[in-house]
Amino acid sequence: MKHIPFYTLVHQNRLIESEVHSFYKDLHADAWYILGKRVLQFEKEYAAYHSIKHCIGVGNGLDALILSLRALEIGKGDEVIVPANSFIATMLAVTQVGATPILVEPDSRTFNITTEEIQKKISSKTKAIIPVHLYGLPCDMDAIGALAKKHNLDIIEDNAQAHGAMYKNQKTGSFGIVNATSFYPVKPLGAFGDGGAVTTNDDELNKKIRLLGNYGSAEKYYYQTVGVNSRLDEIQAGVLSIKLKYLEGWNEERVQLAGLYALLLKEVDAVLLPVSSSDWKHIYHQYVIQTENRDELKEHLAKHGIETGIHYPVPAHLQKAYEFLNLKKGSLPITEKLSETILSLPIYTGMQKSDVEYVCEVIRKFYK
Ligand SMILES: *Cc1c(COP(=O)(O)O)cnc(C)c1O
């Protein structure tokens, strides 16, 4: 029987093996690990890739969000609008700075938050919106931008799943006053460990975030503010510089695989496929389908050697950690329904067309 992993990095690693080895050798000789030339180099490259002025390497994606919120001085008494169906980190960041996350329902087809739903949740306490380009599909940034402007709200993009995605020819991660991202290994641009970044065009925010992430210090042993230690290290920066050169190609590879999935599954009426539009470039961090028989389909695929994922099985408001929000089951029906019907199919660099064909054949047989 064929075995198709849900995700694997072995193909990516094979492609960059010799470059990584030579980088390791240089790093070993330099013996400089924190805040060195490789971080500066990667920050420059990543900012340029987004046509944005500044990039600040940080410890991980959650910290990137927390530092963005802190730099904007969002905290106790403030409300921040977040998607109800994101990875938990988006909400955790808001909670960590003492602000209140206000959960917004997604559109059931794009999985992203929309201005119709955001509008309903704006209050006099709202300070910011955190759009998440879920699964690599850009949010409608024109509409969200206009709404934010009207209500004088900051936009902080959470670009952790969308490196290289575009909304009307502009890269996601360049729309907000600050933008946070993660380089967790399985993200579209992944390091060999934890890592993250903030991008911004604002000089003051750039300075503030650098300060906050480095103990509140711009000059060694002098502290201007109560900061934390959250820095991208030289190993991760070196790996990310190597991988950034391949990002467009790897994204394109997933776009092609997604096209094949769409072609081979279009006649399966019981399955809803991801939507597409000429307004955006979806980079398919995940290929997420919807079906009423999700659990049975998942089991059927597993029996045929195909691993799948669910992003995410339990919405944040129904997690024990967020009991205090008092959002009972039934309060966010779209989010709750999605958590019961979504299924992420395998999609990764190095996945063969024949693998996609096999997955689709097994799905088609299940519905026959
Ligand atoms: C992964 C992820 C994060 C958090 O990134 P870490 O580096 O794991 O802390 C935040 N938001 C979203 C949408 C993510 O997918």
Side-chain angles (χ1 to χ4, degrees):
M1 189 175 65
K2 246 178 133 92
H3 170 243
I4 314 237
F6 174 63
Y7 192 83
T8 174
L9 287 163
V10 298
H11 304 284
Q12 277 193 16
N13 279 8
R14 219 173 280 145
L15 278 166
I16 60 173
E17 187 170 338
S18 63
E19 283 172 89
V20 168
H21 285 177
S22 94
F23 153 64
Y24 279 163
K25 227 176 139 196
D26 291 346
L27 182 82
H28 203 74
D30 294 353
W32 188 284
Y33 297 101
I34 303 288
L35 297 182
K37 64 182 184 193
R38 290 178 179 88
V39 170
L40 287 176
Q41 177 65 25
F42 174 70
E43 287 177 341
K44 227 160 80 184
E45 291 165 359
Y46 196 69
Y49 179 70
H50 289 84
S51 311
I52 202 163
K53 215 162 151 190
H54 307 286
C55 167
I56 307 112
V58 300
N60 55 64
L62 175 58
D63 283 354
L65 286 161
I66 293 174
L67 293 170
S68 299
L69 288 159
R70 280 194 64 185
L72 292 168
E73 293 172 19
I74 292 169
K76 209 166 182 300
D78 298 332
E79 293 181 354
V80 178
I81 287 176
V82 296
N85 62 323
S86 181
F87 179 59
I88 195 81
T90 317
M91 250 174 103
L92 286 178
V94 176
T95 312
Q96 294 280 353
V97 300
T100 306
I102 302 296
L103 276 59
V104 162
E105 288 265 66
D107 176 86
S108 67
R109 295 299 280 119
T110 67
F111 308 109
N112 282 333
I113 54 172
T114 61
T115 47
E116 292 80 60
E117 293 296 322
I118 295 169
Q119 200 139 26
K120 292 183 198 164
K121 299 290 174 81
I122 293 175
S123 80
S124 58
K125 292 181 184 161
T126 312
K127 287 286 169 352
I129 305 170
I130 309 186
V132 178
H133 311 293
L134 204 66
Y135 312 141
L137 192 162
C139 293
D140 185 353
M141 293 314 294
D142 275 354
I144 294 175
L147 185 70
K149 200 167 170 197
K150 185 174 154 198
H151 294 272
N152 197 22
L153 307 176
D154 288 325
I155 291 178
I156 304 165
E157 276 178 79
D158 179 340
N159 202 38
Q161 302 191 1
H163 314 104
M166 308 236 269
Y167 174 78
K168 295 186 180 170
N169 295 319
Q170 184 180 337
K171 289 218 171 65
T172 59
S174 66
F175 287 89
I177 177 99
V178 283
N179 311 290
T181 200
S182 162
F183 303 122
Y184 180 73
V186 303
K187 306 286 182 179
L189 180 62
F192 283 2
D194 278 314
V198 179
T199 53
T200 182
N201 277 318
D202 188 294
D203 298 342
E204 277 311 302
L205 288 171
N206 170 51
K207 266 192 220 148
K208 247 170 143 172
I209 291 163
R210 280 188 192 285
L211 213 59
L212 282 170
N214 187 34
Y215 301 117
S217 165
E219 186 188 350
K220 209 164 189 178
Y221 305 128
Y222 292 87
Y223 309 97
Q224 303 177 32
T225 184
V226 179
V228 295
N229 173 9
S230 184
R231 305 176 294 213
L232 188 69
D233 67 61
E234 291 284 296
I235 298 179
Q236 305 311 335
V239 167
L240 288 165
S241 279
I242 293 168
K243 284 198 177 189
L244 185 59
K245 297 182 292 177
Y246 294 88
L247 178 62
E248 291 282 313
W250 290 344
N251 283 348
E252 188 50 37
E253 208 178 319
R254 285 195 313 281
V255 169
Q256 295 297 325
L257 294 168
L260 189 58
Y261 268 128
L263 184 73
L264 298 176
L265 293 176
K266 71 170 190 271
E267 266 134 46
V268 184
D269 292 336
V271 169
L272 281 178
L273 302 176
V275 285
S276 56
S277 157
S278 56
D279 274 355
W280 67 60
K281 181 184 177 192
H282 187 344
I283 56 143
Y284 298 98
H285 170 52
Q286 305 292 358
Y287 191 85
V288 179
I289 60 169
Q290 300 177 50
T291 175
E292 296 294 331
N293 323 88
R294 194 268 312 276
D295 293 339
E296 294 93 317
L297 176 62
K298 191 175 196 322
E299 206 184 300
H300 177 79
L301 287 164
K303 272 194 202 134
H304 288 80
I306 301 161
E307 292 173 20
T308 53
I310 298 171
H311 302 92
Y312 300 90
V314 181
H317 69 286
L318 302 179
Q319 298 280 354
K320 191 167 188 312
Y322 278 106
E323 267 171 7
F324 68 91
L325 288 178
N326 248 317
L327 292 167
K328 299 264 163 352
K329 203 170 161 75
S331 60
L332 292 157
I334 302 172
T335 301
E336 291 168 27
K337 174 86 194 282
L338 284 177
S339 72
E340 290 160 6
T341 54
I342 47 172
L343 186 67
S344 310
L345 301 180
I347 193 160
Y348 48 82
T349 308
M351 187 179 184
Q352 299 300 303
K353 276 186 176 170
S354 57
D355 297 336
V356 174
E357 284 161 4
Y358 174 66
V359 175
C360 294
E361 186 189 303
V362 173
I363 293 175
R364 285 201 305 260
K365 278 201 182 127
F366 174 77
Y367 285 105
K368 270 234 172 91

